[in-house]
Amino acid sequence: MIVAGIMSGTSLDGIDVAVVDIASLSPFRFELLASHTEAYAPEVRAAILGVSNCEAHTADLARLHVLLGELYADAVERALEAGGIVPTQLSLIGCHGQTIYHQGDARTYLGRNIACTLQIGEPSAMAERFGVPVVSDFRPRDMAAGGTGAPLVPFLDYLVFRDERTPRIALNIGGIANLTAIPAGAAAGDLIAFDTGPGNMVMDSLIRRATGGRETFDADGARARAGTPLEDFVDAEMRGNPYYAAIPPKTAGREEYGDAMVEALKRTGRPVEDLLATAALLTARSIAHAVTQFALPRLGAGLAETEMLVAGGGRRNGFLMDLLAQELPGLHIEGTERFSLPTDFKEAIAFAALAYAAFEGEANNVPSATGARHPAILGKISR
Ligand SMILES: Nc1ncnc2c1ncn2[C@@H]1O[C@H](COP(=O)(O)OP(=O)(O)O)[C@@H](O)[C@H]1O
Ligand SMILES: [Mg+2]
């Protein structure tokens, strides 16, 4: 079955589409037929930030919801073209949507305990354009079952990385970074997965500000490499923010790594290269902390016996990858390519797999990762 998976993450860099031919789920047999990234136009990115920060009118939220549905459909069209696939071959679409709000833990609201999340991007536009079912809005059902609604990609991590002998960690470095720990010989209930803290977000904000928006990221981490990280700043954040020591499952919000942190960095008065190096070190150190404090104990293994498979845009930041290797000496670190998962499209492929499972009526959450009380079929189907 040919399935298009669509992911657009917290970096707000654009829309990733993976067109995958899925033969079976367990074992997961698949072939990536085509992939495409459609960058968000600056005004679309600004509109998403606007509705995320409550600066916009409700009408803008409704408009953006439909506009994104159209943009997702466009991106799927481009991906199909790129792979020479005729649209009639497509059977199913899985779309994460764009998160504009996520509160994974229940808090009191109007007298009730409520956890909530909102991903926008109207699926009807895609169902109409391609005439195939679209699975979207995956997170709420997990939250209704008591989970945090995130992360969802461990479903794929378990299918692809579980091994009888080798304990593995799947790391994704997007706007936020997250990991999945998969013990050797694991059952699904043995996994843990959680956000480790910032991924590329702080670095991206620094570059955007320094270049007036002309550049959106520090290619390969070249400018960061020219700087000196502020160890004190990283130490203070690691000690002062209770997030890092909190027991998983847990999800990090983009609020914590947005303007407030960038302002705090700028107040040091140091050159942007130093600030970039500091942001990279914070990313690497918070990942390393998560690996040693939470992942390795779950794996029952040391650094030397464990493999870490890295995906997401941060994998392209050579400086960040060097810092990770320094912070985690002895750990085998490589990209996910060996498992037929190109690092830029692993999450899009995950949403193809999640949609396929939902469509087949199979549970696709990982309760040990989200804290849900039971397995559930996540995703709503627009036919
Ligand atoms: N060549 C590169 N060098 C350094 N960083 C990169 C490079 N390419 C992409 N990135 C980083 O990856 C980010 C996008 O990663 P992605 O996995 O798409 O995150 P998200 O899921 O949050 O959208 C960019 O914003 C940028 O920070
Ligand atoms: Mg992205």
Side-chain angles (χ1 to χ4, degrees):
M1 180 189 269
I2 299 188
V3 188
I6 311 172
M7 179 62 197
S8 49
T10 46
S11 293
L12 302 181
D13 56 328
I15 302 166
D16 302 323
V17 179
V19 184
V20 187
D21 191 356
I22 300 179
S24 71
L25 211 49
S26 52
F28 188 45
R29 273 199 268 273
F30 72 102
E31 186 188 351
L32 179 63
L33 302 178
S35 58
H36 174 72
T37 296
E38 186 75 18
Y40 277 137
E43 58 274 19
V44 173
R45 184 176 195 277
I48 297 168
L49 283 170
V51 297
S52 307
N53 301 334
C54 305
E55 287 158 4
H57 200 271
T58 314
D60 290 326
L61 177 57
R63 291 178 186 124
L64 186 59
H65 176 50
V66 174
L67 176 80
L68 285 178
E70 295 289 347
L71 295 181
Y72 289 142
D74 292 350
V76 171
E77 242 166 48
R78 306 263 151 73
L80 293 174
E81 275 163 29
I85 303 159
V86 287
T88 51
Q89 289 178 278
L90 187 65
S91 297
L92 184 68
I93 295 175
C95 182
H96 171 266
Q98 187 67 55
T99 297
I100 59 165
Y101 190 76
H102 185 82
Q103 179 210 307
D105 54 322
R107 292 179 212 159
T108 307
Y109 178 70
L110 300 180
R112 289 216 188 196
N113 240 5
I114 301 271
C116 60
T117 190
L118 191 55
Q119 283 75 43
I120 61 170
E122 174 55 55
S124 298
M126 290 172 269
E128 181 66 22
R129 181 113 46 115
F130 299 101
V132 301
V134 181
V135 187
S136 64
D137 211 13
F138 292 84
R139 299 190 191 273
R141 182 60 202 276
D142 183 80
M143 296 167 88
T148 56
L152 302 183
V153 176
F155 179 69
L156 179 80
D157 292 334
Y158 181 69
L159 292 177
V160 176
F161 298 129
R162 181 195 176 279
D163 188 80
E164 282 300 331
R165 270 183 290 276
T166 310
R168 291 190 173 133
I169 295 168
L171 174 69
N172 194 78
I173 311 177
I176 299 289
N178 57 74
L179 68 72
T180 306
I182 311 138
D190 299 331
L191 266 57
I192 53 165
F194 56 97
D195 292 339
T196 59
N200 304 299
M201 260 188 85
V202 185
M203 297 183 275
D204 283 359
S205 304
L206 285 165
I207 279 286
R208 282 178 182 275
R209 292 223 191 169
T211 64
R214 277 190 321 284
E215 290 172 43
T216 55
F217 58 84
D218 181 18
D220 194 32
R223 294 182 70 170
R225 201 185 283 279
T228 306
L230 306 172
E231 288 278 352
D232 290 352
F233 187 97
V234 175
D235 285 348
E237 166 68 12
M238 291 300 299
R239 268 186 279 113
N241 184 339
Y243 183 79
Y244 306 108
I247 308 283
K250 54 183 179 174
T251 48
R254 58 173 293 130
E255 314 77 56
E256 305 187 33
Y257 304 108
D259 289 344
M261 181 161 288
V262 170
E263 292 301 333
L265 278 165
K266 293 196 94 163
R267 278 197 296 277
T268 64
R270 301 289 283 266
V272 67
E273 286 76 12
D274 290 2
L275 306 187
L276 283 165
T278 307
L281 183 61
L282 174 61
T283 295
R285 193 152 293 165
S286 50
I287 291 168
H289 180 268
V291 166
T292 51
Q293 292 302 301
F294 301 117
L296 294 180
R298 173 55 62 107
L299 295 175
L303 284 174
E305 300 102 12
T306 303
E307 284 184 359
M308 184 157 80
L309 293 321
V310 188
R315 162 87 179 131
R316 294 181 176 274
N317 184 328
F319 179 63
L320 177 60
M321 297 308 295
D322 287 349
L323 287 179
L324 259 184
Q326 269 170 41
E327 297 284 322
L328 293 164
L331 179 66
H332 174 92
I333 303 177
E334 67 167 308
T336 52
E337 295 88 348
R338 173 157 62 98
F339 299 85
S340 307
L341 298 172
T343 55
D344 290 333
F345 294 97
K346 180 192 155 195
E347 293 209 316
I349 293 170
F351 279 90
L354 285 156
Y356 181 92
F359 192 69
E360 298 281 309
E362 289 188 34
N364 54 3
N365 65 338
V366 178
S368 61
T370 63
R373 286 184 296 270
H374 53 77
I377 304 172
L378 312 186
K380 300 169 189 167
I381 305 181
S382 307
R383 290 180 190 270

